[in-house]
Amino acid sequence: MEYVMSELLIKARDGRYGIPAVDTFDMVSVLSCFLAAEKEKSPVIIMTCGYELEYLHINYADFVRLVRAIAERFPEVPYSIHLDHGTEEECYAALEGGFPSVMYDGSFGPFDDNVAVTAKLKKAAGKDRCVEAEVGRVGGEEGKGMSAESTIIESDPAELVEFLAKTEADTIAVSIGNIHGVHGFVKRAPKLNFELLQELRSKCGVPLVLHGASDIPEADINKAVSLGISKINYYSQLFRAFMQSVKENVDLPVEECLSKGIDVLTEEICKLMRMCGSSGKA
């Protein structure tokens, strides 16, 4: 059952639970998301990045068709398709390719440029499609060509208010000490600024997103969700487990090796659904 991402996130915000958003790129990773969501009776957000599709010679329309074809097997699973960390050009290409939701990452440029591009993208997307943006800068290892030493800038509540007023973005990724990768150049679980998160939530009428959630302790995820985080992004933690399974089973026939990887990845996603509180919310 497909939804625009903002629809799922509003339900999560109002229900005080979070939804894991998983970066995927092929049949194996997409299938694992649906298997986990069916098992846990959870909604799921299926994301990809432009550079991931580029590496695998898949275009945006291909990815949308792939997800929807697999989804036909799981009619009871609420899901949404989302572009993660897109450039302006990638966001327009994804919208053209049928993505109902995109995230424009303008965090590495001037605030005014971030505002201008996000506003243009929201106008192009219209009311029936979702645009996520980032206020502040999460930093760390994320995306093709980005440096692990990228400076972290915490989200400013006043800037958040101005940003939303000027862009009408549907959801905002916040920087509260979270770090992309495991864990960027810091290489340790970040210390989240919950006081800042409370202030941001009080200023913001749209659902909030936590990027770089891999390996953040369960207690911190629980608290972040209780304070207003509705979407939690995962990549590194999941695919580290998947690749470990592949390494351990690489001498098996390829279909058996990948099958074991699917089982491992599915169980890891199930754990995240339980941790974020989305289990039983389908």
PDB file of all heavy atoms in Angstrom, residues 2 22 68 74 100 114 117 122 134 146 151 158 163 165 176 184 210 216 218 220 229 236:
ATOM      1  N   GLU A   2       0.960   1.927  -1.148  1.00  0.00           N
ATOM      2  CA  GLU A   2       1.907   3.030  -1.267  1.00  0.00           C
ATOM      3  C   GLU A   2       1.315   4.344  -0.755  1.00  0.00           C
ATOM      4  O   GLU A   2       0.156   4.664  -1.008  1.00  0.00           O
ATOM      5  CB  GLU A   2       2.356   3.206  -2.714  1.00  0.00           C
ATOM      6  CG  GLU A   2       3.425   4.276  -2.862  1.00  0.00           C
ATOM      7  CD  GLU A   2       3.994   4.376  -4.265  1.00  0.00           C
ATOM      8  OE1 GLU A   2       3.622   3.562  -5.140  1.00  0.00           O
ATOM      9  OE2 GLU A   2       4.821   5.281  -4.494  1.00  0.00           O
ATOM     10  N   VAL A  22      15.277   3.125   4.953  1.00  0.00           N
ATOM     11  CA  VAL A  22      16.421   2.291   4.598  1.00  0.00           C
ATOM     12  C   VAL A  22      16.914   2.654   3.205  1.00  0.00           C
ATOM     13  O   VAL A  22      16.142   2.633   2.237  1.00  0.00           O
ATOM     14  CB  VAL A  22      16.048   0.798   4.645  1.00  0.00           C
ATOM     15  CG1 VAL A  22      17.252  -0.061   4.274  1.00  0.00           C
ATOM     16  CG2 VAL A  22      15.518   0.428   6.029  1.00  0.00           C
ATOM     17  N   ARG A  68       7.699  -0.979  -6.854  1.00  0.00           N
ATOM     18  CA  ARG A  68       6.261  -1.230  -6.979  1.00  0.00           C
ATOM     19  C   ARG A  68       5.973  -2.662  -7.410  1.00  0.00           C
ATOM     20  O   ARG A  68       4.949  -3.239  -7.003  1.00  0.00           O
ATOM     21  CB  ARG A  68       5.638  -0.218  -7.937  1.00  0.00           C
ATOM     22  CG  ARG A  68       5.586   1.182  -7.328  1.00  0.00           C
ATOM     23  CD  ARG A  68       5.095   2.239  -8.288  1.00  0.00           C
ATOM     24  NE  ARG A  68       5.005   3.539  -7.609  1.00  0.00           N
ATOM     25  CZ  ARG A  68       4.945   4.703  -8.215  1.00  0.00           C
ATOM     26  NH1 ARG A  68       4.954   4.772  -9.554  1.00  0.00           N
ATOM     27  NH2 ARG A  68       4.872   5.821  -7.519  1.00  0.00           N
ATOM     28  N   PHE A  74       3.119  -7.673  -1.286  1.00  0.00           N
ATOM     29  CA  PHE A  74       2.933  -7.275   0.114  1.00  0.00           C
ATOM     30  C   PHE A  74       1.858  -6.177   0.209  1.00  0.00           C
ATOM     31  O   PHE A  74       2.143  -5.046   0.605  1.00  0.00           O
ATOM     32  CB  PHE A  74       4.263  -6.758   0.684  1.00  0.00           C
ATOM     33  CG  PHE A  74       5.388  -7.745   0.581  1.00  0.00           C
ATOM     34  CD1 PHE A  74       6.228  -7.745  -0.527  1.00  0.00           C
ATOM     35  CD2 PHE A  74       5.604  -8.685   1.586  1.00  0.00           C
ATOM     36  CE1 PHE A  74       7.274  -8.657  -0.625  1.00  0.00           C
ATOM     37  CE2 PHE A  74       6.646  -9.597   1.489  1.00  0.00           C
ATOM     38  CZ  PHE A  74       7.475  -9.584   0.377  1.00  0.00           C
ATOM     39  N   PRO A 100       7.710   9.936  -5.661  1.00  0.00           N
ATOM     40  CA  PRO A 100       6.726  10.787  -4.989  1.00  0.00           C
ATOM     41  C   PRO A 100       7.332  11.629  -3.873  1.00  0.00           C
ATOM     42  O   PRO A 100       6.636  12.447  -3.277  1.00  0.00           O
ATOM     43  CB  PRO A 100       5.721   9.782  -4.418  1.00  0.00           C
ATOM     44  CG  PRO A 100       6.533   8.554  -4.180  1.00  0.00           C
ATOM     45  CD  PRO A 100       7.607   8.533  -5.223  1.00  0.00           C
ATOM     46  N   ASN A 114      20.022  27.327  -0.083  1.00  0.00           N
ATOM     47  CA  ASN A 114      19.242  26.182   0.365  1.00  0.00           C
ATOM     48  C   ASN A 114      17.752  26.514   0.326  1.00  0.00           C
ATOM     49  O   ASN A 114      16.924  25.727  -0.153  1.00  0.00           O
ATOM     50  CB  ASN A 114      19.678  25.786   1.777  1.00  0.00           C
ATOM     51  CG  ASN A 114      19.162  24.430   2.228  1.00  0.00           C
ATOM     52  OD1 ASN A 114      18.512  23.706   1.478  1.00  0.00           O
ATOM     53  ND2 ASN A 114      19.447  24.084   3.473  1.00  0.00           N
ATOM     54  N   VAL A 117      16.515  26.922  -3.557  1.00  0.00           N
ATOM     55  CA  VAL A 117      16.380  25.676  -4.309  1.00  0.00           C
ATOM     56  C   VAL A 117      15.259  24.811  -3.733  1.00  0.00           C
ATOM     57  O   VAL A 117      14.458  24.233  -4.478  1.00  0.00           O
ATOM     58  CB  VAL A 117      17.711  24.901  -4.329  1.00  0.00           C
ATOM     59  CG1 VAL A 117      17.527  23.543  -5.005  1.00  0.00           C
ATOM     60  CG2 VAL A 117      18.785  25.704  -5.053  1.00  0.00           C
ATOM     61  N   LYS A 122       9.894  22.398  -4.172  1.00  0.00           N
ATOM     62  CA  LYS A 122       8.548  22.182  -3.620  1.00  0.00           C
ATOM     63  C   LYS A 122       7.492  22.652  -4.603  1.00  0.00           C
ATOM     64  O   LYS A 122       6.444  22.001  -4.768  1.00  0.00           O
ATOM     65  CB  LYS A 122       8.412  22.889  -2.274  1.00  0.00           C
ATOM     66  CG  LYS A 122       7.042  22.676  -1.617  1.00  0.00           C
ATOM     67  CD  LYS A 122       6.711  21.193  -1.446  1.00  0.00           C
ATOM     68  CE  LYS A 122       5.270  20.937  -1.097  1.00  0.00           C
ATOM     69  NZ  LYS A 122       4.895  19.512  -1.127  1.00  0.00           N
ATOM     70  N   GLU A 134      17.250  19.867   4.636  1.00  0.00           N
ATOM     71  CA  GLU A 134      18.091  19.827   5.827  1.00  0.00           C
ATOM     72  C   GLU A 134      18.433  21.241   6.261  1.00  0.00           C
ATOM     73  O   GLU A 134      18.855  22.064   5.448  1.00  0.00           O
ATOM     74  CB  GLU A 134      19.380  19.048   5.536  1.00  0.00           C
ATOM     75  CG  GLU A 134      20.265  18.840   6.748  1.00  0.00           C
ATOM     76  CD  GLU A 134      21.398  17.858   6.469  1.00  0.00           C
ATOM     77  OE1 GLU A 134      21.164  16.845   5.781  1.00  0.00           O
ATOM     78  OE2 GLU A 134      22.529  18.110   6.950  1.00  0.00           O
ATOM     79  N   MET A 146      31.767  13.359  -0.961  1.00  0.00           N
ATOM     80  CA  MET A 146      31.719  14.157   0.264  1.00  0.00           C
ATOM     81  C   MET A 146      32.808  13.705   1.230  1.00  0.00           C
ATOM     82  O   MET A 146      33.115  12.522   1.321  1.00  0.00           O
ATOM     83  CB  MET A 146      30.346  14.060   0.932  1.00  0.00           C
ATOM     84  CG  MET A 146      29.257  14.755   0.160  1.00  0.00           C
ATOM     85  SD  MET A 146      27.711  14.813   1.081  1.00  0.00           S
ATOM     86  CE  MET A 146      26.649  15.625  -0.121  1.00  0.00           C
ATOM     87  N   THR A 151      32.198  19.634   8.133  1.00  0.00           N
ATOM     88  CA  THR A 151      31.889  20.325   9.379  1.00  0.00           C
ATOM     89  C   THR A 151      30.439  20.107   9.786  1.00  0.00           C
ATOM     90  O   THR A 151      29.528  20.193   8.968  1.00  0.00           O
ATOM     91  CB  THR A 151      32.150  21.829   9.237  1.00  0.00           C
ATOM     92  OG1 THR A 151      33.500  22.024   8.839  1.00  0.00           O
ATOM     93  CG2 THR A 151      31.893  22.548  10.540  1.00  0.00           C
ATOM     94  N   ALA A 158      15.741  29.424  14.934  1.00  0.00           N
ATOM     95  CA  ALA A 158      15.265  30.609  14.213  1.00  0.00           C
ATOM     96  C   ALA A 158      15.375  30.405  12.704  1.00  0.00           C
ATOM     97  O   ALA A 158      14.479  30.792  11.940  1.00  0.00           O
ATOM     98  CB  ALA A 158      16.058  31.840  14.647  1.00  0.00           C
ATOM     99  N   PHE A 163      13.156  29.069   7.356  1.00  0.00           N
ATOM    100  CA  PHE A 163      13.248  28.124   6.247  1.00  0.00           C
ATOM    101  C   PHE A 163      11.872  27.573   5.874  1.00  0.00           C
ATOM    102  O   PHE A 163      11.501  27.530   4.696  1.00  0.00           O
ATOM    103  CB  PHE A 163      14.191  26.991   6.635  1.00  0.00           C
ATOM    104  CG  PHE A 163      14.548  26.068   5.502  1.00  0.00           C
ATOM    105  CD1 PHE A 163      15.653  26.313   4.716  1.00  0.00           C
ATOM    106  CD2 PHE A 163      13.772  24.946   5.235  1.00  0.00           C
ATOM    107  CE1 PHE A 163      15.986  25.460   3.671  1.00  0.00           C
ATOM    108  CE2 PHE A 163      14.097  24.093   4.194  1.00  0.00           C
ATOM    109  CZ  PHE A 163      15.211  24.349   3.409  1.00  0.00           C
ATOM    110  N   ALA A 165       8.928  28.835   6.518  1.00  0.00           N
ATOM    111  CA  ALA A 165       8.052  29.893   6.026  1.00  0.00           C
ATOM    112  C   ALA A 165       8.322  30.201   4.551  1.00  0.00           C
ATOM    113  O   ALA A 165       7.398  30.506   3.787  1.00  0.00           O
ATOM    114  CB  ALA A 165       8.233  31.151   6.863  1.00  0.00           C
ATOM    115  N   ILE A 176      21.551  17.491  15.248  1.00  0.00           N
ATOM    116  CA  ILE A 176      21.549  17.617  16.714  1.00  0.00           C
ATOM    117  C   ILE A 176      22.702  16.810  17.325  1.00  0.00           C
ATOM    118  O   ILE A 176      22.603  16.334  18.451  1.00  0.00           O
ATOM    119  CB  ILE A 176      20.198  17.173  17.308  1.00  0.00           C
ATOM    120  CG1 ILE A 176      19.855  15.734  16.878  1.00  0.00           C
ATOM    121  CG2 ILE A 176      19.075  18.139  16.919  1.00  0.00           C
ATOM    122  CD1 ILE A 176      18.683  15.115  17.618  1.00  0.00           C
ATOM    123  N   GLY A 184      31.371   8.871  10.623  1.00  0.00           N
ATOM    124  CA  GLY A 184      32.184   9.887   9.995  1.00  0.00           C
ATOM    125  C   GLY A 184      33.608   9.829  10.522  1.00  0.00           C
ATOM    126  O   GLY A 184      34.151   8.776  10.805  1.00  0.00           O
ATOM    127  N   LEU A 210      15.900  12.176  11.520  1.00  0.00           N
ATOM    128  CA  LEU A 210      17.233  11.961  12.064  1.00  0.00           C
ATOM    129  C   LEU A 210      18.056  11.188  11.049  1.00  0.00           C
ATOM    130  O   LEU A 210      17.794  10.021  10.782  1.00  0.00           O
ATOM    131  CB  LEU A 210      17.163  11.184  13.376  1.00  0.00           C
ATOM    132  CG  LEU A 210      18.482  11.021  14.135  1.00  0.00           C
ATOM    133  CD1 LEU A 210      18.917  12.353  14.740  1.00  0.00           C
ATOM    134  CD2 LEU A 210      18.361   9.965  15.218  1.00  0.00           C
ATOM    135  N   ILE A 216      23.532   4.345  16.675  1.00  0.00           N
ATOM    136  CA  ILE A 216      23.115   5.177  17.811  1.00  0.00           C
ATOM    137  C   ILE A 216      22.397   4.254  18.804  1.00  0.00           C
ATOM    138  O   ILE A 216      21.546   3.455  18.412  1.00  0.00           O
ATOM    139  CB  ILE A 216      22.200   6.327  17.368  1.00  0.00           C
ATOM    140  CG1 ILE A 216      22.999   7.338  16.536  1.00  0.00           C
ATOM    141  CG2 ILE A 216      21.567   7.020  18.569  1.00  0.00           C
ATOM    142  CD1 ILE A 216      22.168   8.497  16.014  1.00  0.00           C
ATOM    143  N   GLU A 218      19.998   2.342  21.409  1.00  0.00           N
ATOM    144  CA  GLU A 218      18.539   2.246  21.406  1.00  0.00           C
ATOM    145  C   GLU A 218      17.896   3.271  22.327  1.00  0.00           C
ATOM    146  O   GLU A 218      16.875   3.877  21.977  1.00  0.00           O
ATOM    147  CB  GLU A 218      18.106   0.838  21.821  1.00  0.00           C
ATOM    148  CG  GLU A 218      16.606   0.644  21.811  1.00  0.00           C
ATOM    149  CD  GLU A 218      16.191  -0.790  22.034  1.00  0.00           C
ATOM    150  OE1 GLU A 218      17.075  -1.665  22.156  1.00  0.00           O
ATOM    151  OE2 GLU A 218      14.972  -1.047  22.089  1.00  0.00           O
ATOM    152  N   ASP A 220      18.868   6.222  23.059  1.00  0.00           N
ATOM    153  CA  ASP A 220      18.895   7.543  22.427  1.00  0.00           C
ATOM    154  C   ASP A 220      17.884   7.637  21.287  1.00  0.00           C
ATOM    155  O   ASP A 220      17.248   8.687  21.104  1.00  0.00           O
ATOM    156  CB  ASP A 220      20.302   7.846  21.900  1.00  0.00           C
ATOM    157  CG  ASP A 220      21.276   8.201  23.010  1.00  0.00           C
ATOM    158  OD1 ASP A 220      20.845   8.313  24.168  1.00  0.00           O
ATOM    159  OD2 ASP A 220      22.469   8.375  22.713  1.00  0.00           O
ATOM    160  N   ILE A 229      11.141  13.028  16.652  1.00  0.00           N
ATOM    161  CA  ILE A 229      11.698  12.462  15.427  1.00  0.00           C
ATOM    162  C   ILE A 229      10.732  11.418  14.867  1.00  0.00           C
ATOM    163  O   ILE A 229      10.309  10.505  15.574  1.00  0.00           O
ATOM    164  CB  ILE A 229      13.079  11.825  15.685  1.00  0.00           C
ATOM    165  CG1 ILE A 229      14.109  12.900  16.035  1.00  0.00           C
ATOM    166  CG2 ILE A 229      13.526  10.990  14.493  1.00  0.00           C
ATOM    167  CD1 ILE A 229      14.468  13.836  14.895  1.00  0.00           C
ATOM    168  N   SER A 236      24.629   2.387   6.904  1.00  0.00           N
ATOM    169  CA  SER A 236      25.900   1.726   7.237  1.00  0.00           C
ATOM    170  C   SER A 236      25.712   0.507   8.132  1.00  0.00           C
ATOM    171  O   SER A 236      26.292  -0.563   7.892  1.00  0.00           O
ATOM    172  CB  SER A 236      26.843   2.724   7.913  1.00  0.00           C
ATOM    173  OG  SER A 236      27.099   3.818   7.073  1.00  0.00           O
TER     174      SER A 236
END
